Amino acid sequence: MASPLIDSLLFTSLRALSRRPCLKTLCRTPIAVRTGRSPFTRRTFQTTTSSPPKTRAPNFAFAFELNSIDGVLLRQSSPLPRAQRALSYLQKHNIPYILLTNGGGKHESERVAELSDKLGVNLSTDMFVQSHTPFKSLVEGDGEMEGLRDKCVLVMGGEGDRCRGVAERYGFRNIVTPADILTAAPSIWPFAADLLSHYASFARPLPLPICTNSSLSESSSPTLKIDAIFVYTDPRDWALDSSILLDTLLSSQGYIGTLSPRNNDPSLPNRGYQQDSQPKLYFSNPDLWWAAGYHLPRLGQGGFRESFEGVWKAATGGAKLEMEILGKPTQGTFEFAEERMVRQRRKNADRKGGLGRVYMIGDNPESDIRGANEYKSPFGSEWYSVLVRSGVFNGGDPAHTPRIVVDDVWDAVTWGLKREGWDVDTLST
């Protein structure tokens, strides 16, 4: 079953750029990254050893893994040695690159301003893709799927009301959060009574009331209908969010407070669950763990998803949970990132054409290296995974084998440039 996010909206611009039918992709689980190589990959390399002129239009690019506690460009929010040198060189020579992270919870402009200051380079939002950046593509519709700009979307995760603010800046106009629902109907999760004052400090009134009849046909006035569900970053209140998420997915057509008559109908696909025009569910990050201040890893958004899947199976008797997952190492996120780099190249060089090769530089074999190894580019580019020792990985046999292992980001960049025929012995910024 093809992914509606990728097919209908996320890569509308990609299809226009590539002039070929959009590749059908699937990223419904954190392991749903395509295996094998693209049939369109190119295997020729430049062999010149002369230093390239500044007007040259490189047909290759670099992607850098970036997390809050990083090992590629930053460590504990401080730039690693030679990171600024690597990015400055790429900018000077109009070589496209992008910073790719599974983090989120802030608008891209905030993160870019912070990173520009820390790294000492002038970055733009076009160079930065975080976990929920692709959600912006769903604001506008196309011929295959209606846009969500004026639809009612449920946004989960993050601190206070911050993710609602991000969604509004993306262009969504009708947003509700679990805090809004709880403060409007406290009995929806009675164990949160002690937290009501906290939620009320940033909740907003609902656009419509919650249905008080489990049957939609018995409702005599308009009630709250959810058209899509987005988990932007790690939820803070798993119990509240799980309860509201379960109610919404079991509802009739997304009307919270109702129950679909199709649930548990053996004559229907998936025994009728999520077969009654319920809203689509989108997760932005598959990571089970993340590194925090504590000496052991903490559960991330992937942990919440796994927890909810367990609740869903228990509540439905084992029905499949239909959802879409973005973030490294999924196909969808890598496609979105490549589309951004192709646009960069065309803007910088004012010429058409895609990328021949992309060098994915990361310190995490499970997400960065795996994603690059398994990604199938609809542009026909070939991705090279480069593992650095400056972060999570510091030796041994990685779970996913990179093309090469190097010490740091500058070594990774110079290795890629050398493969492209650039004279690495005379490199300067």
Side-chain angles (χ1 to χ4, degrees):
M1 182 177 180
S3 159
L5 174 59
I6 298 169
D7 287 347
S8 61
L9 285 174
L10 183 55
F11 304 112
T12 300
S13 55
L14 182 149
R15 293 198 299 270
L17 289 168
S18 60
R19 302 301 184 186
R20 60 171 64 98
C22 182
L23 188 68
K24 298 291 183 180
T25 57
L26 179 68
C27 53
R28 296 193 178 278
T29 72
I31 61 172
V33 184
R34 300 257 183 169
T35 58
R37 297 202 178 282
S38 166
F40 305 105
T41 53
R42 304 170 188 175
R43 302 185 180 276
T44 58
F45 298 89
Q46 300 173 8
T47 57
T48 177
T49 58
S50 60
S51 182
K54 295 179 182 179
T55 56
R56 187 176 180 180
N59 72 332
F60 59 94
F62 290 86
F64 299 94
E65 185 269 345
L66 182 72
N67 284 324
S68 57
I69 298 180
D70 195 17
V72 178
L73 298 171
L74 301 169
R75 181 179 292 139
Q76 298 289 350
S77 298
S78 297
L80 286 169
R82 308 203 291 178
Q84 193 272 344
R85 181 184 181 190
L87 297 185
S88 295
Y89 184 88
L90 297 180
Q91 284 191 349
K92 179 179 179 180
H93 294 283
N94 288 328
I95 300 172
Y97 71 86
I98 204 161
L99 308 183
L100 187 60
T101 176
N102 274 356
K106 296 181 180 180
H107 189 265
E108 287 75 6
S109 60
E110 294 181 58
R111 293 293 304 277
V112 164
E114 294 171 0
L115 291 168
S116 295
D117 182 62
K118 291 174 181 178
L119 293 169
V121 293
N122 186 23
L123 301 172
S124 71
T125 54
D126 291 337
M127 300 174 174
F128 181 67
V129 174
Q130 54 187 347
S131 63
H132 48 69
T133 304
F135 290 166
K136 185 177 181 180
S137 299
L138 289 174
V139 172
E140 302 293 344
D142 65 4
E144 299 177 21
M145 183 176 176
E146 186 178 4
L148 296 173
R149 179 182 296 277
D150 295 307
K151 299 293 184 178
C152 186
V153 300
L154 176 61
V155 168
M156 293 183 165
E159 299 177 4
D161 211 27
R162 179 171 288 180
C163 286
R164 189 207 312 260
V166 174
E168 287 176 335
R169 294 182 69 177
Y170 284 175
F172 296 99
R173 294 175 177 169
N174 191 4
I175 302 163
V176 299
T177 69
D180 303 340
I181 295 172
L182 179 67
T183 53
S187 60
I188 201 168
W189 184 242
F191 300 114
D194 293 340
L195 299 174
L196 274 175
S197 59
H198 166 69
Y199 288 121
S201 67
F202 55 85
R204 298 182 189 176
L206 293 176
L208 289 170
I210 292 173
C211 184
T212 56
N213 297 301
S214 60
S215 174
L216 182 61
S217 62
E218 297 178 7
S219 179
S220 58
S221 59
T223 57
L224 182 66
K225 180 180 185 296
I226 303 298
D227 297 296
I229 306 168
F230 296 102
V231 183
Y232 268 63
T233 186
D234 303 3
R236 274 35 176 186
D237 191 336
W238 287 22
L240 173 64
D241 289 7
S242 294
S243 297
I244 292 175
L245 186 54
L246 185 65
D247 283 349
T248 309
L249 294 179
L250 292 176
S251 71
S252 178
Q253 304 171 43
Y255 288 93
I256 294 182
T258 67
L259 278 174
S260 172
R262 299 187 180 186
N263 292 341
N264 204 30
D265 184 339
S267 68
L268 296 174
N270 203 30
R271 298 196 352 266
Y273 290 103
Q274 293 179 281
Q275 306 299 309
D276 190 15
S277 300
Q278 288 91 350
K280 296 186 182 301
L281 171 61
Y282 300 95
F283 288 94
S284 68
N285 181 353
D287 290 347
L288 180 66
W289 304 104
W290 69 288
Y294 192 60
H295 66 282
L296 296 176
R298 302 293 83 193
L299 289 171
Q301 189 182 141
F304 172 76
R305 192 200 71 252
E306 292 285 354
S307 173
F308 181 75
E309 284 192 79
V311 171
W312 174 261
K313 289 180 180 179
T316 63
K320 180 182 178 182
L321 177 62
E322 295 288 347
M323 57 184 166
E324 186 157 346
I325 303 172
L326 293 177
K328 298 177 300 177
T330 64
Q331 173 79 15
T333 287
F334 277 77
E335 282 195 24
F336 187 86
E338 184 174 12
E339 188 269 339
R340 284 284 184 92
M341 289 184 285
V342 169
R343 285 185 175 274
Q344 271 190 54
R345 179 178 185 267
R346 295 178 181 180
K347 180 180 179 181
N348 293 344
D350 192 26
R351 59 177 66 186
K352 299 179 180 179
L355 296 167
R357 287 154 299 282
V358 176
Y359 297 91
M360 177 70 215
I361 301 172
D363 69 330
N364 189 333
E366 287 291 343
S367 59
D368 312 319
I369 305 307
R370 177 189 176 187
N373 288 352
E374 298 180 350
Y375 173 55
K376 298 185 71 174
S377 168
F379 287 97
S381 68
E382 188 168 13
W383 283 56
Y384 284 72
S385 56
V386 184
L387 182 61
V388 295
R389 298 187 183 95
S390 55
V392 173
F393 177 79
N394 55 16
D397 295 325
H400 298 271
T401 305
R403 293 293 187 98
I404 191 172
V405 179
V406 298
D407 286 335
D408 65 10
V409 64
W410 179 249
D411 289 341
V413 168
T414 55
W415 181 81
L417 293 173
K418 184 176 181 179
R419 288 194 64 87
E420 298 300 326
W422 292 49
D423 188 354
V424 299
D425 294 327
T426 60
L427 289 183
S428 66
T429 56

